[in-house]
Amino acid sequence: MPSGSQAQAEVQRLRDQITQMQASTVEQIAEVQRKYEELQQQLRANAAAREATAAAMAAEQNKKYDELQLQLQHMMKMFQQSQKPPS
């Protein structure tokens, strides 16, 4: 049977171990939280980049559409002029 001082020493050792485990747990939680926030920022940045790319592609498609419309109008005018009888 351990003496009173041995029991007190064991209790103190266990308390110290609990304190160390608590500190380690707090550090781990802080690290997980930091990584989570980092990933959230990365996801926001990726979403913004995708939106910018989509907007640029839409602008390019609109530009091409407008150019094709102008070409079609020009061709229609040329066709209409070719259908008029010479004066």
Side-chain angles (χ1 to χ4, degrees):
M1 186 137 185
S3 69
S5 64
Q6 286 176 326
Q8 284 180 335
E10 180 65 12
V11 167
Q12 186 58 46
R13 185 187 71 77
L14 290 172
R15 284 183 177 153
D16 291 345
Q17 189 176 3
I18 288 170
T19 301
Q20 287 176 339
M21 291 171 70
Q22 286 173 331
S24 175
T25 301
V26 167
E27 287 175 14
Q28 289 174 349
I29 290 170
E31 178 66 13
V32 167
Q33 190 171 17
R34 185 191 63 76
K35 287 182 179 179
Y36 172 79
E37 289 169 1
E38 195 175 283
L39 287 172
Q40 286 286 43
Q41 281 183 323
Q42 217 172 14
L43 286 171
R44 284 187 205 105
N46 289 347
R50 280 194 306 273
E51 286 178 21
T53 300
M57 289 175 66
E60 183 64 25
Q61 287 177 345
N62 286 339
K63 181 181 173 187
K64 287 180 181 179
Y65 176 79
D66 291 344
E67 289 172 357
L68 287 173
Q69 281 289 97
L70 287 173
Q71 286 179 0
L72 179 60
Q73 288 174 2
H74 180 70
M75 291 173 69
M76 289 296 291
K77 284 180 185 176
M78 288 176 55
F79 176 75
Q80 288 171 352
Q81 288 176 352
S82 72
Q83 297 299 312
K84 289 182 183 175
S87 357

